Amino acid sequence: MSTLAPLRLLREPSNASEGNQSNATVGAGGGWCQGLDIPNELFLALGLVSLVENLLVVAAILKNRNLHSPTYYFICCLAVSDMLVSISNLAEMLFMLLLEHGVLVMRPSIVRHMDSVIDMLICSSVVSSLSFLGVIAVDRYITIFYALRYHSIMTLQRAVVTMASVWLASTVSSTVLITYYRSNTILLCLIGFFLFMLVLMLVLYIHMFALARHHLHSISSQQKPPTAHRGGSLKGAVTLTILLGVFFICWGPFFFHLILIVTCPTNPFCTCFFSYFNLFLILIICNSVIDPLIYAFRSQELRRTLREVVTCSW
């Protein structure tokens, strides 16, 4: 097995027959429609890197009391979500390898049950990852535009309620997705959720980017030399651009794949696009690797704590 279990269920439309796929391959260009043969080792390697990175982030936030704030709690939840993607992927790979080599012998019914559990776990982590990306965007927006009222708006109690709601909604939605994954209605809901998160982040980050640009313009109009504030504003603007770019590149192809499943399941060119499903999964796992670098490691306080964790300076 070379792909994540629940996402593999969405590899192709249920109404796309083998004959349709064969015709699609020939009609859409043959060679480049064969997809990519991505080895299991790459999935395992990326999963291990993601697991270690996100585990370090969680350990650092738990260790340093200065990081016990809603902002870092949201980052910690994002790290846990990404870590669950990695753990589930590694567990599935190990589980299937043991079955294929005869080391582990189980009844088919138990195998299906185990597969469903892994399916639900990964789907829940994917949905929660997207959700916490949106929550972090909202939190940053409040930090910038309502700085003086931030602690009264984003209280610890509200942060806890937000985190609990996301995990509960992710668990429920993943259960529904695994149960009715062949339903176009469910796929449309998943696509709509992604588009909502994309638009939300786009609107918030554009507004924050405009504020950073306004600060730079104000400083330039006063003919002042470069300052730390100016550098910070520029750095923040660049960071926001990176965030949106990474989010779209890593998640866009997979959700475009879902859109094609709903809109043109038997079209030759759409079927050709389906053959690159493994590549889309690799991008999702890469997002779990990149998230800590963007959201966590850019914090000086967190980097210092990470060094202490790595050197065991508890």
Side-chain angles (χ1 to χ4, degrees), residues 5 8 28 45 87 97 100 108 158 163 223 247 268 295:
R8 190 185 65 255
I87 292 175
L97 286 174
E100 290 174 1
R158 288 176 179 171
M163 291 183 289
Q223 296 182 347
F247 178 79
Y295 291 94

Side-chain angles (χ1 to χ4, degrees), residues 256-278:
F256 184 62
H257 171 95
L258 297 187
I259 292 174
L260 294 184
I261 286 181
V262 175
T263 58
C264 57
T266 59
N267 182 278
F269 292 98
C270 295
T271 307
C272 185
F273 190 82
F274 299 154
S275 65
Y276 288 86
F277 187 74
N278 280 359

Side-chain angles (χ1 to χ4, degrees), residues 37-50:
D37 185 17
I38 299 178
N40 291 341
E41 290 77 10
L42 181 57
F43 281 95
L44 290 172
L46 289 175
L48 286 173
V49 172
S50 173

Side-chain angles (χ1 to χ4, degrees), residues 211-226:
L211 177 65
R213 183 179 179 183
H214 175 72
H215 285 169
L216 291 175
H217 180 72
S218 299
I219 294 172
S220 299
S221 63
Q222 297 173 12
Q223 296 182 347
K224 293 182 178 180

Side-chain angles (χ1 to χ4, degrees), residues 30-284:
W32 72 278
C33 287
Q34 298 302 318
L36 293 176
D37 185 17
I38 299 178
N40 291 341
E41 290 77 10
L42 181 57
F43 281 95
L44 290 172
L46 289 175
L48 286 173
V49 172
S50 173
L51 176 61
V52 172
E53 282 186 353
N54 288 287
L55 187 60
L56 286 174
V57 171
V58 173
I61 292 176
L62 293 178
K63 177 182 184 296
N64 191 340
R65 296 185 63 87
N66 294 331
L67 302 178
H68 293 182
S69 65
T71 297
Y72 285 102
Y73 286 152
F74 295 146
I75 292 177
C76 183
C77 286
L78 176 63
V80 171
S81 298
D82 289 339
M83 191 165 55
L84 288 178
V85 173
S86 304
I87 292 175
S88 302
N89 181 33
L90 294 173
E92 185 208 17
M93 287 289 183
L94 180 61
F95 179 65
M96 296 309 299
L97 286 174
L98 291 176
L99 287 177
E100 290 174 1
H101 290 80
V103 178
L104 185 63
V105 179
M106 301 177 68
R107 290 184 299 177
S109 59
I110 298 179
V111 172
R112 287 194 298 270
H113 179 72
M114 291 291 294
D115 192 50
S116 296
V117 172
I118 296 176
D119 287 356
M120 190 177 70
L121 181 60
I122 302 181
C123 283
S124 178
S125 59
V126 168
V127 173
S128 60
S129 291
L130 284 172
S131 300
F132 282 115
L133 287 172
V135 170
I136 290 173
V138 173
D139 181 74
R140 290 192 172 191
Y141 184 86
I142 296 174
T143 302
I144 291 176
F145 288 94
Y146 302 95
L148 298 179
R149 297 172 49 201
Y150 175 80
H151 293 291
S152 61
I153 296 176
M154 188 56 68
T155 62
L156 182 59
Q157 182 179 5
R158 288 176 179 171
V160 171
V161 170
T162 300
M163 291 183 289
S165 300
V166 169
W167 286 116
L168 178 61
S170 300
T171 303
V172 173
S173 61
S174 65
T175 303
V176 174
L177 176 61
I178 294 304
T179 305
Y180 303 102
Y181 72 93
R182 293 188 182 276
S183 170
N184 281 350
T185 302
I186 296 300
L187 294 184
L188 287 173
C189 290
L190 189 59
I191 294 168
F193 174 66
F194 168 76
L195 293 177
F196 171 76
M197 284 300 171
L198 179 60
V199 171
L200 174 67
M201 295 177 66
L202 186 63
V203 170
L204 295 181
Y205 285 148
I206 286 178
H207 198 185
M208 287 185 277
F209 186 92
L211 177 65
R213 183 179 179 183
H214 175 72
H215 285 169
L216 291 175
H217 180 72
S218 299
I219 294 172
S220 299
S221 63
Q222 297 173 12
Q223 296 182 347
K224 293 182 178 180
T227 61
H229 175 76
R230 179 175 180 177
S233 298
L234 182 59
K235 181 180 178 181
V238 172
T239 300
L240 298 181
T241 304
I242 294 174
L243 289 173
L244 280 177
V246 169
F247 178 79
F248 184 77
I249 291 173
C250 291
W251 290 99
F254 170 72
F255 280 92
F256 184 62
H257 171 95
L258 297 187
I259 292 174
L260 294 184
I261 286 181
V262 175
T263 58
C264 57
T266 59
N267 182 278
F269 292 98
C270 295
T271 307
C272 185
F273 190 82
F274 299 154
S275 65
Y276 288 86
F277 187 74
N278 280 359
L279 177 61
F280 311 150
L281 299 188
I282 283 291
L283 290 175
I284 291 178

